[in-house]
Amino acid sequence: MSNKLTNILVPVISVILGLLVGAIVMLVSGYDPVQGYIALWEGIFGDMFTIGGTIRQITPYILAGLAVAFAFRTGLFNIGVEGQLIMGWLAAAYVGYAFELPAIIHLPLAILAAALAGALWAFIPGLLKAKLQVHEVIVTIMMNYIALHVANAVIQSISDSGEKTPMIHESASLRSTFLDTLTDYSRMHYGIVIALIMVVIMWFILEKTKRGFELKAVGFNQNASEYAGMNVKSNIILAMVISGAFAGLAGAMEALGTFGNITVQAGFTGIGFDGIAVALLGANAPFGVLLGAILFGALKFGSLNMPNVGIPVEIVSIIIALVIFFVASGYIIRVLLERLSKKKEAK
């Protein structure tokens, strides 16, 4: 069995095992797994509204997953995607309502502001890592809380109600009448196009550019990279900045597409943290992240329909956790597949 086929089969088998064990959990808990999965399916693909809602849910997961995966591929653990997303959300919402510009300028400007805000928030841990060897996990965790409370303070200071910013202007919105009509006002928006473009951009940077090669090389071995003449410190900072930009764009999807503003947050959105699982499921590959985001977004949105048949949405959280568990146990699945392959070859 080829390594490429094994890499494909491991996450597929992990998902199947997660769904099977999830069915057992539902059965043990006194729920009908068949009805549960039918409700989940209908919550994802039941009609144009649910399909649009599913795509809308998937969009920020793609970008959050790319943010985590890019850092992983360059030897860093950016656990601060949540905070970078919040800062991107705040920046996009502010630019969206504070300026009145033609749409051809306003929308790109708001998106760029979100990317820059996320990049700036990631620049700080990147700088501390490069210059002072401060571990990025510690700094990014702290930056998440700083982002949450800074964003809340800014929202309270600039809004009349003290709870949310004004709605963005139409010229900065990713929503469209066409998509609203097509999906029965599901809040689907053109952000999915931006997310898909970012998948290709990440792939191109890492696989087709000299800078991408350097970023990966520094992640694999800093000493060897430095010996080869690469600037290790600048590459560490750049890797965090690019990762943060992806996270900021995820925030822009919420500000310019889903909600049209930002409200005071009682806690984290969870999208940034789920991005870690998405990246893990996608093996940190851009197109793998896309598939992982589709799975997570579909499960998250489809689970909203499960209470209609008496099954709590927490069951889906258990299923997602099981999928992550089996993905994390991928080495065991890989070994079993290799043994089965060797037995077939022996015969």
Side-chain angles (χ1 to χ4, degrees):
M1 187 179 295
S2 68
N3 191 51
K4 185 177 287 187
L5 180 60
T6 303
N7 289 337
I8 295 171
L9 285 176
V10 168
V12 170
I13 292 172
S14 299
V15 171
I16 293 171
L17 287 173
L19 293 173
L20 287 174
V21 178
I24 295 171
V25 170
M26 279 191 268
L27 203 59
V28 171
S29 302
Y31 302 110
D32 185 347
V34 175
Q35 289 297 319
Y37 283 135
I38 289 174
L40 181 65
W41 178 266
E42 291 178 348
I44 300 170
F45 302 110
D47 52 33
M48 289 305 297
F49 176 84
T50 56
I51 292 172
T54 300
I55 294 172
R56 192 273 305 165
Q57 187 80 46
I58 289 167
T59 302
Y61 279 128
I62 296 173
L63 292 162
L66 291 178
V68 177
F70 192 92
F72 273 142
R73 291 288 297 275
T74 54
L76 299 167
F77 190 3
N78 183 9
I79 208 169
V81 169
E82 182 72 23
Q84 295 146 22
L85 180 150
I86 291 171
M87 296 311 291
W89 188 346
L90 176 65
Y94 177 77
V95 173
Y97 89 83
F99 301 95
E100 293 188 33
L101 299 166
I104 196 170
I105 298 173
H106 201 179
L107 179 56
L109 182 63
I111 292 171
L112 180 61
L116 288 175
L120 178 61
W121 212 249
F123 170 79
I124 299 170
L127 181 66
L128 291 173
K129 170 77 171 182
K131 299 296 185 182
L132 301 174
Q133 297 300 308
V134 180
H135 204 289
E136 71 275 10
V137 170
I138 303 299
V139 181
T140 51
I141 289 174
M142 295 298 100
M143 294 292 286
N144 283 337
Y145 288 95
I146 295 170
L148 176 65
H149 295 297
V150 165
N152 284 345
V154 172
I155 294 166
Q156 290 169 346
S157 66
I158 65 177
S159 65
D160 295 330
S161 65
E163 295 181 0
K164 59 185 178 180
T165 60
M167 295 297 291
I168 61 171
H169 295 293
E170 190 67 26
S171 56
S173 178
L174 287 166
R175 299 281 293 274
S176 79
T177 304
F178 169 72
L179 290 178
D180 285 344
T181 305
L182 180 67
T183 62
D184 197 20
Y185 298 91
S186 68
R187 294 198 295 179
M188 179 184 169
H189 51 80
Y190 285 118
I192 186 63
V193 178
I194 296 172
L196 294 175
I197 291 171
M198 290 302 113
V199 171
V200 177
I201 286 176
M202 176 176 161
W203 169 81
F204 183 79
I205 291 173
L206 290 177
E207 305 300 334
K208 299 296 180 180
T209 67
K210 176 186 174 183
R211 178 63 68 181
F213 175 81
E214 288 189 7
L215 290 170
K216 289 188 293 182
V218 170
F220 284 130
N221 192 318
Q222 292 185 13
N223 294 327
S225 300
E226 189 170 13
Y227 182 77
M230 300 177 191
N231 190 325
V232 172
K233 292 181 179 179
S234 66
N235 277 299
I236 289 173
I237 295 171
L238 180 60
M240 283 299 293
V241 165
I242 295 174
S243 175
F246 283 130
L249 288 174
M253 300 303 101
E254 302 298 90
L256 307 178
T258 304
F259 298 104
N261 65 354
I262 182 171
T263 60
V264 171
Q265 304 288 320
F268 294 121
T269 66
I271 296 172
F273 298 120
D274 286 341
I276 299 172
V278 170
L280 178 64
L281 186 60
N284 299 319
F287 298 103
V289 167
L290 173 60
L291 296 176
I294 290 171
L295 174 66
F296 269 69
L299 289 175
K300 285 281 186 178
F301 190 80
S303 67
L304 299 177
N305 191 49
M306 294 180 76
N308 292 333
V309 292
I311 299 176
V313 295
E314 287 77 14
I315 291 291
V316 174
S317 297
I318 295 172
I319 294 169
I320 291 173
L322 288 167
V323 169
I324 296 170
F325 171 79
F326 286 116
V327 170
S329 306
Y331 177 75
I332 299 172
I333 298 172
R334 189 180 298 273
V335 169
L336 291 173
L337 288 173
E338 289 176 355
R339 286 184 178 180
L340 286 172
S341 179
K342 287 179 181 178
K343 285 182 179 179
K344 286 183 179 180
E345 289 174 1
K347 290 179 181 180

